Amino acid sequence: MTACRQDVPRFRIGVAQCSDDSWRHKMNDEILREAMFYDGVSVEIRSAGDDNRQQAEDVRYFIDKGVDLLIISANEAAPMTPIVEEAYQKGIPVILVDRKILSDKYTAYISADNYEIGRAVGNYMASTLKGKGNVVELTGLSGSTPAMERHQGFMAAISNFPDIKLIDKADAAWEREPAEVAMDSILRRHPKIDAVYAHNDRIAPGAYQAARKAGREKEMIFVGIDALPGKGNGLELVLDSVLNATFIYPTNGDKVLQLAMNILETKPYPRETIMNTAVVDRTNAHVMQLQTAHISELDEKIETLNGRIDGYLSRVATQQVVMYGGLVILLLVAGLLVVVYNSLRSKNRLNRELSEQKRQLEEQRDKLEEQRDQLEQQRDKLAEQRDKLAEQRDQLIQLSHQLEEATHAKLVFFTNISHDFRTPLTLVADPVEHLLADKTLSDDQHRMLLLVQRNVNILLRLVNQILDFRKYENGKMEYTPVPVDILSSFKGWNESFLAAARKKHIHFSFDNMPDTDYHTLADVEKLERIYFNLLSNAFKFTPENGKVTVRLSALTKEDDRWIRFTVSNTGSMISAEHIRNIFDRFYKIDMHHAGSGIGLALVKAFVEMHGGTISVESDEKQGTVFTVDLPVRTCACETSSLEESPVSSVSEASSLNDALPIEEEELEKNYDSSKPSVLIIDDNVDIRSYVHGLLHTDYTVIEAADGSEGIRKAMKYVPDLIISDVMMPGIDGIECCRRLKSELQTCHIPVILLTACSLDEQKIQGYDGGADSYISKPFSSQLLLARVRNLIDSHRRLKQFFGGGQALAKEDVCDMDKDFVEKFKALIDAKMGDSGLNVEDLGKEMGLSRVQLYRKIKSLTNYSPNELLRIARLKRAASLLASSDMTVAEIGYEVGFSSPSYFAKCYKEQFGESPTDLLKRKG
C-alpha cells in the first residue's frame, strides 16, 4: 500500500514557453534537471509554437489547474499582457523569462539585458567595420520585447558612428525561412551591404544562405545572438565560418527554477535578475566548444545517476510490497477464521428466530383473512356511492357548460360594446385636446375640460383592458419582449403615483437591492400594465395616513436568476375565501369600489405570458402583499425558435451571408464621396427604406440591419452622420452609440437616435452614451432633415483646422479627436524628410488601416493624408527658403521630395511662384 500510493507534489509549477526551438529546449532541460534537487516539485512545460492564442490557452490551462507558480516567456507583449495580469491578480506568482509584457503585474523577471546585447552588437560591428559601412537588421517577432530592446540598443550604439548606416530592416519572426526570404528581398534592393545583424542564431544562417545564393556572402559580416552549442547552432556556425560572431544569450534554466523555489518557500529574491553576455568569435569559439562538451558530459552523468537512484527506489518499493503483502495475507487468514466461527453461532441463533417468526406469521395470516372479508363488504358499499357520484358529476359538467356559454356570451357582449365605445370616445378625446390648447379659455372652463379629458382617458383604459383580456382569452394577445431595465422603469412609473400619495397622505416608499442587475427581456407595455394595476389597487384600498411599499429584489430558483417585486399596503385585509378567487375574471371583493373585476385576472395573464408567477398574502397586521416573480431572460432565449428548425435557419443565414459581399461590392461601386454620407442602423426594413428615400438625393446613404453590422460599416466607411434605432436585437442603439463614441475611427461622427418610447430615462441613457440628438417616433420628416443638415453643417467647422490654421473649438471636438489630430501633425513633422513615407506607413503608426486613416482625416480636415503631407512639406520648404542659405535642391530633399523638379512644380502650384523666383525676390 505504501509503495503503490501516488506522491502528491508539494509545489506545482507551470512553464508556458512561446516557441519550440533549441534555445528553449536547453532552458527546459535545465529547469527539469534543477527540479530533481527539490523534493515534491512537479514541473509541466507547454509550448505555444509562436502562437499568441495558443499561449494564452496554455496559461488559462495552468490557471484552471491551480498551479502554485507560473513561468512565462511571452510570445508578444501586447496580446499576452491581459492573461498574465489575470493570473497575477488571482494570487499566482508569475516569473517572466526572456520577454516582458506591457505591465508591471508580475512577481519577478529574469533574462539577459536585451538592450545591452543590442548595444554590444552595435559596438562590435562599429569596431569590425572601423566606424563605416551599410548595415541590415533582421529582427525577431516585432511585437516581442526582446526584438524591440535589441533594436533600441543597437540603434543607440551605431548612433555614435555617423558613417554606419542602417539601410534596411525586416521582421524575420525568429525563424530561418522568413529570414532567408527577407534577406533575398533586401539583397535585390541594396547593391552594397557590409554587415548583417540577426536577432538570433536561427535568423543569421537564413540571411547567410540568401547571400550565398546571390554570391555575395564574402562581401559582408554576419552577427547573431544565442551562442548555443550543438549542430546548426551559433557556436558551430562561428567555427564553420558562417557567422563572424555570436553573443551569448544564457538560458540559465537552473537559475529560473532556483528563483521560483525562493518565491514558493518565501525566501528573499530579486524582482529583476539580469544575466551577463559576451561575444563569441573565432578567437574563443573553440574554448567555448570544449567547455560546453564537458558540461554536456557532466549532465549525462547526472542523468545516469538519477536513473540509478530511481532503480534503487523501485527495488525498495517492491520489497515493501512483498513485506506488506505477507502481513495482509496473515491478517486475512486470521480474520477468516473469526468470521467462520461467528457465522456458525449466528446460524444457530437465526434458526431459532425463524421458527418463532413462522408461528407469528401463521397467526397474522388468519387475521388478514378476517380483514379481507370485511374489505369485500366495504367495497360493495363504495361501488354504490360511486354510481351516485357519477350522476352528480354529469350534472356538474352540464352546469359548467351552461356557465361557460353564459360567460362567453357576456365576454362577446363586452367586447362588442367596447369596440362601439372606442369611436365616440376617440371623437370626444381629440376635440378636448384641441380645446385645451385654446389660450382664451377661462380657468373654470379649462378645469372642466381637464375633468372631461381625465375621465375619457379612464374610459379608454377600461375599454382597452376588456379588449386585451378578450385577446388573451382567444390566444391573440401578442408578446413582444425587448431589453428593459426594470429598476429604471419602476422608478419612472412611480412618479405617476406621487400625486395620489400626497392627496391621501399615504407614505409611499420604493426599496431595491443595491449592486444588482435588473436587466431582462420583457414586454414593456404589459409590464407597465402589471405594475400600474397593482399600485392602483394598493392606493385605492389604503386609507389616509396609510403606507404603500414596493420592494425590488433578485433571487435564484433551480440555478436560474429571477427578479421579484412585492407591492404591499396597510389598512386592508383579504379573507382566505377571497384570496382563492381574487385572480378570477369578473371577481370583485368589495362592491362599493368601482372596477371591472378583470384587472387582476389580466395582471395574472400578463405575468404568466412572461413565464412568471403572482401570489397574494393578507393579514390584519401587515395588510396585503402581492408578490410577482419574473424569470430573467436574455437574448439567447429568443433563439429557441431558430434551434427548432436548424435547416431553415442555416439556409437563411447562408443566403444572407452569400448576399452580403454582393451588397458590399455594389455599395463600394456606387459610393459617391462627393456627397456627405449617412449611415442608417435599424432592424425595420421599412424604416430604413423610408429614411433612405428622404436622404438619398442630397446624401450618400449606407444601411445596416442591426447594431453589429452598423458598427462594422461605421468603421469601414466613416460616414458624416449616423441615424440609429434604439430598440434592436443584440446590440441596441444606445450600446451601439456608446461603442462608436469610444472608438478612435468613429468618435467624431454625430449620432441621432430614433425611438418609439418617449420615457425621459431612456433619452438620458442615450445622451449619456454620446448621442448628439434624440427624435421620437413617429417623427416629422422635416424635423429629421433639418436635424441631419444642422449636425453635418456644424461638423464642417472642424475641416478648417489644417487648411486655415485655425484652432479647434473646444465645444466642436472631443478630446480623442484633438489628440488624434495633434498626434498626426507631430508624426508628419517627425517623418517629413522620408521621401518613401506613404499612407500605409502613416496608418501603421496611427494604428489604423489605409482606408480608415483616409476617411478619418478626410472627415476631420477635408484633405486626404497625402495632401496634408504635401502641404506640410511645402510650408516647411517655404520657411527654409525664407530663413536659410540652402539651395532649392537641398531644401527639396530636406523636406522629403524625391526630385528638385517635382518639388518646384508642387511649390508653384501651392504658392503661385517657383522657389527660384522666391530666392531672386529675396535677394
Side-chain angles (χ1 to χ4, degrees):
M1 290 170 61
T2 304
C4 295
R5 78 179 189 275
Q6 185 175 2
D7 292 333
V8 177
R10 195 163 50 104
F11 297 116
R12 290 173 298 177
I13 299 175
V15 181
Q17 290 285 15
C18 60
S19 60
D20 189 17
D21 52 59
S22 55
W23 190 88
R24 300 201 180 275
H25 282 173
K26 187 171 183 296
M27 176 190 288
N28 295 341
D29 292 342
E30 292 170 349
I31 291 174
L32 294 173
R33 189 180 303 117
E34 185 67 19
M36 297 176 184
F37 296 98
Y38 296 92
D39 291 333
V41 176
S42 170
V43 178
E44 182 177 354
I45 301 174
R46 295 173 77 95
S47 177
D50 300 315
D51 187 339
N52 293 323
R53 182 186 58 79
Q54 181 60 48
Q55 190 171 28
E57 292 179 359
D58 292 344
V59 177
R60 171 69 60 194
Y61 163 80
F62 287 129
I63 293 173
D64 296 340
K65 194 175 181 181
V67 297
D68 300 292
L69 183 139
L70 272 171
I71 299 172
I72 300 174
S73 179
N75 188 49
E76 289 188 277
M80 292 302 301
T81 297
I83 189 67
V84 174
E85 288 183 338
E86 179 183 344
Y88 180 78
Q89 290 169 351
K90 288 186 175 181
I92 301 175
V94 177
I95 298 177
L96 297 181
V97 179
D98 177 35
R99 303 182 182 188
K100 288 187 176 180
I101 59 173
L102 303 181
S103 168
D104 61 352
K105 292 184 179 179
Y106 57 86
T107 308
Y109 171 72
I110 180 168
S111 173
D113 191 332
N114 285 290
Y115 181 87
E116 288 299 325
I117 287 178
R119 194 164 69 172
V121 172
N123 290 329
Y124 175 84
M125 281 193 172
S127 174
T128 304
L129 297 176
K130 302 187 184 306
K132 184 176 182 180
N134 295 333
V135 179
V136 169
E137 181 180 9
L138 298 177
T139 73
L141 201 62
S142 59
S144 62
T145 54
M148 301 175 189
E149 293 172 357
R150 290 177 186 182
H151 170 71
Q152 293 168 358
F154 180 74
M155 295 305 297
I158 67 172
S159 64
N160 298 321
F161 301 91
D163 292 331
I164 292 182
K165 299 186 182 301
L166 179 63
I167 61 172
D168 212 332
K169 173 186 173 186
D171 185 343
W174 303 111
E175 296 298 333
R176 175 171 180 160
E177 288 76 9
E180 185 173 348
V181 173
M183 187 64 187
D184 182 67
S185 177
I186 291 172
L187 289 169
R188 297 173 187 275
R189 292 196 298 268
H190 301 286
K192 178 172 175 54
I193 300 174
D194 299 303
V196 177
Y197 165 34
H199 277 204
N200 69 3
D201 291 340
R202 293 193 307 281
I203 296 174
Y208 179 84
Q209 186 64 26
R212 185 176 180 182
K213 288 180 180 179
R216 296 175 58 184
E217 75 277 11
K218 303 296 185 182
E219 302 174 6
M220 56 197 82
I221 65 172
F222 294 85
V223 179
I225 295 174
D226 280 347
L228 289 179
K231 186 175 181 180
N233 291 327
L235 192 58
E236 295 296 331
L237 293 173
V238 172
L239 292 172
D240 293 341
S241 299
V242 173
L243 299 184
N244 295 78
T246 181
F247 282 74
I248 297 174
Y249 192 66
T251 53
N252 282 346
D254 51 348
K255 292 186 179 179
V256 172
L257 193 77
Q258 291 169 10
L259 175 61
M261 294 308 299
N262 286 339
I263 295 172
L264 292 172
E265 294 175 348
T266 64
K267 294 180 180 180
Y269 64 90
R271 192 165 190 266
E272 301 280 342
T273 303
I274 304 301
M275 296 175 286
N276 296 323
T277 185
V279 64
V280 176
D281 55 17
R282 293 184 182 87
T283 61
N284 59 357
H286 184 67
V287 176
M288 287 286 297
Q289 186 183 39
L290 292 175
Q291 290 178 343
T292 54
H294 181 63
I295 292 171
S296 298
E297 291 177 3
L298 293 177
D299 289 341
E300 291 175 358
K301 290 179 180 179
I302 291 173
E303 291 180 359
T304 302
L305 290 174
N306 185 63
R308 291 182 178 179
I309 292 171
D310 289 340
Y312 296 148
L313 292 175
S314 176
R315 292 180 186 177
V316 171
T318 303
Q319 293 171 357
Q320 287 179 334
V321 169
V322 173
M323 180 182 67
Y324 289 127
L327 291 174
V328 168
I329 291 171
L330 290 175
L331 290 173
L332 287 174
V333 171
L336 183 61
L337 292 174
V338 172
V339 169
V340 170
Y341 173 75
N342 289 332
S343 298
L344 291 174
R345 292 187 61 185
S346 298
K347 178 182 177 183
N348 294 330
R349 186 179 69 253
L350 288 172
N351 286 334
R352 290 192 299 270
E353 292 177 353
L354 287 172
S355 298
E356 180 65 22
Q357 289 177 357
K358 179 180 179 182
R359 184 185 60 79
Q360 294 175 355
L361 287 172
E362 288 177 349
E363 293 177 356
Q364 291 177 358
R365 184 187 62 188
D366 296 337
K367 291 180 180 179
L368 287 173
E369 289 289 339
E370 294 177 2
Q371 293 176 355
R372 186 183 65 182
D373 295 337
Q374 295 174 357
L375 289 173
E376 289 288 341
Q377 296 174 0
Q378 292 177 358
R379 185 184 64 183
D380 295 337
K381 293 179 181 179
L382 289 173
E384 294 177 1
Q385 294 177 357
R386 183 183 61 194
D387 294 337
K388 293 180 180 179
L389 289 173
E391 293 178 4
Q392 294 176 357
R393 184 193 62 193
D394 294 338
Q395 293 174 357
L396 288 173
I397 290 173
Q398 185 178 0
L399 289 173
S400 175
H401 286 318
Q402 293 174 356
L403 180 61
E404 186 67 28
E405 291 175 0
T407 302
H408 178 72
K410 182 165 54 173
L411 283 175
V412 171
F413 169 75
F414 279 134
T415 302
N416 293 336
I417 200 171
S418 297
H419 276 290
D420 293 338
F421 280 156
R422 287 174 65 91
T423 299
L425 285 174
T426 303
L427 294 176
V428 172
D430 192 59
V432 167
E433 288 186 6
H434 284 287
L435 289 173
L436 282 171
D438 189 353
K439 303 298 184 181
T440 63
L441 292 176
S442 65
D443 292 340
D444 289 338
Q445 291 172 331
H446 193 268
R447 186 168 59 255
M448 295 284 285
L449 285 172
L450 284 176
L451 179 63
V452 172
Q453 185 186 49
R454 184 162 59 251
N455 283 276
V456 167
N457 290 335
I458 291 172
L459 285 171
L460 279 172
R461 187 169 67 250
L462 293 174
V463 168
N464 290 335
Q465 190 166 264
I466 293 172
L467 294 175
D468 285 345
F469 190 78
R470 185 59 176 158
K471 285 182 183 178
Y472 175 76
E473 291 247 320
N474 292 333
K476 296 181 179 179
M477 177 65 71
E478 294 182 357
Y479 172 64
T480 310
V482 296
V484 61
D485 182 0
I486 290 183
L487 176 60
S488 62
S489 298
F490 280 12
K491 286 182 178 179
W493 296 336
N494 286 340
E495 296 180 1
S496 302
F497 296 90
L498 297 180
R502 288 193 296 268
K503 183 177 180 181
K504 295 181 68 174
H505 306 289
I506 293 174
H507 177 69
F508 177 40
S509 61
F510 178 80
D511 303 324
N512 64 280
M513 290 173 58
D515 302 325
T516 302
D517 184 9
Y518 293 107
H519 287 81
T520 185
L521 285 178
D523 190 319
V524 178
E525 179 184 358
K526 293 176 179 57
L527 185 64
E528 182 181 22
R529 297 280 287 278
I530 294 170
Y531 193 70
F532 270 68
N533 201 306
L534 292 177
L535 264 186
S536 297
N537 284 342
F539 278 96
K540 183 191 299 183
F541 292 100
T542 301
E544 288 199 9
N545 299 313
K547 185 177 181 181
V548 175
T549 303
V550 178
R551 289 186 174 88
L552 183 62
S553 60
L555 66 155
T556 302
K557 294 182 182 180
E558 299 179 354
D559 298 330
D560 292 327
R561 291 178 53 237
W562 289 66
I563 295 174
R564 167 177 289 177
F565 71 91
T566 61
V567 179
S568 61
N569 66 288
T570 60
S572 66
M573 176 186 171
I574 305 174
S575 66
E577 177 185 359
H578 289 312
I579 283 180
R580 285 196 298 270
N581 304 308
I582 195 169
F583 295 111
D584 294 344
R585 59 190 180 187
F586 306 120
Y587 185 82
K588 294 178 65 175
I589 298 173
D590 185 0
M591 292 301 174
H592 297 289
H593 283 86
S596 62
I598 63 172
L600 289 178
L602 199 58
V603 166
K604 183 182 180 184
F606 286 168
V607 170
E608 291 174 350
M609 289 180 73
H610 284 79
T613 61
I614 182 169
S615 60
V616 59
E617 297 177 358
S618 186
D619 58 38
E620 294 182 356
K621 292 184 179 179
Q622 71 173 3
T624 303
V625 180
F626 283 87
T627 301
V628 177
D629 290 345
L630 299 175
V632 175
R633 300 281 176 82
T634 61
C635 292
C637 300
E638 299 305 310
T639 63
S640 59
S641 61
L642 294 177
E643 294 170 0
E644 292 173 2
S645 56
V647 176
S648 62
S649 300
V650 171
S651 64
E652 288 182 25
S654 300
S655 64
L656 287 175
N657 290 334
D658 293 340
L660 182 60
I662 299 175
E663 294 175 3
E664 293 278 354
E665 182 180 346
E666 187 69 20
L667 180 58
E668 287 284 357
K669 183 171 67 176
N670 297 329
Y671 190 87
D672 187 357
S673 60
S674 64
K675 295 192 295 186
S677 57
V678 178
L679 171 61
I680 305 169
I681 308 173
D682 199 307
D683 60 325
N684 188 309
V685 66
D686 293 330
I687 292 292
R688 296 201 308 271
S689 177
Y690 175 65
V691 178
H692 187 285
L694 293 175
L695 300 175
H696 77 279
T697 302
D698 299 318
Y699 305 96
T700 297
V701 181
I702 308 164
E703 296 185 24
D706 54 48
S708 300
E709 183 184 357
I711 293 173
R712 181 179 63 81
K713 287 191 174 180
M715 295 286 192
K716 181 175 182 179
Y717 295 104
V718 192
D720 295 287
L721 184 132
I722 296 173
I723 301 173
S724 174
D725 187 23
V726 172
M727 292 297 182
M728 294 185 293
I731 300 176
D732 61 21
I734 294 174
E735 178 62 22
C736 179
C737 178
R738 185 178 292 112
R739 293 190 187 184
L740 290 172
K741 290 295 185 178
S742 64
E743 292 291 338
L744 175 63
Q745 301 97 308
T746 56
C747 65
H748 65 283
I749 304 173
V751 177
I752 298 176
L753 292 180
L754 301 179
T755 180
C757 179
S758 59
L759 295 177
D760 289 339
E761 289 80 4
Q762 191 184 76
K763 292 184 178 181
I764 292 171
Q765 288 181 355
Y767 285 124
D768 287 343
D772 297 89
S773 184
Y774 220 111
I775 298 178
S776 298
K777 296 178 183 177
F779 54 82
S780 164
S781 60
Q782 296 301 319
L783 172 63
L784 179 64
L785 290 171
R787 198 71 189 106
V788 169
R789 185 170 54 253
N790 180 270
L791 285 173
I792 291 179
D793 288 345
S794 62
H795 196 67
R796 282 176 177 157
R797 288 178 289 174
L798 300 178
K799 300 183 178 180
Q800 300 175 357
F801 176 60
F802 274 97
Q806 300 175 5
L808 288 170
K810 184 176 181 181
E811 65 275 12
D812 290 336
V813 189
C814 66
D815 292 337
M816 189 180 294
D817 279 338
K818 286 192 285 189
D819 293 342
F820 173 82
V821 172
E822 294 299 333
K823 181 180 178 181
F824 187 74
K825 287 181 62 181
L827 178 62
I828 288 178
D829 291 340
K831 298 201 172 187
M832 184 183 298
D834 183 2
S835 61
L837 185 64
N838 54 36
V839 179
E840 284 80 1
D841 297 332
L842 293 172
K844 186 176 181 181
E845 293 287 344
M846 297 297 293
L848 300 174
S849 69
R850 179 182 62 81
V851 176
Q852 288 175 333
L853 178 67
Y854 176 86
R855 288 178 173 159
K856 177 79 174 178
I857 293 296
K858 187 75 173 178
S859 175
L860 284 174
T861 67
N862 212 25
Y863 290 105
S864 68
N866 278 330
E867 289 173 333
L868 288 177
L869 179 60
R870 186 172 65 252
I871 292 171
R873 283 171 167 168
L874 291 173
K875 288 184 177 180
R876 177 71 178 277
S879 175
L880 291 174
L881 285 169
S883 60
S884 71
D885 295 330
M886 299 169 66
T887 65
V888 172
E890 289 173 339
I891 291 175
Y893 291 129
E894 176 70 21
V895 297
F897 282 92
S898 57
S899 69
S901 60
Y902 180 63
F903 165 60
K905 176 178 177 293
C906 293
Y907 189 93
K908 187 170 184 179
E909 290 176 355
Q910 180 71 20
F911 298 108
E913 63 176 346
S914 66
T916 306
D917 294 338
L918 175 65
L919 291 177
K920 290 178 180 178
R921 184 163 51 82
K922 185 178 76 171

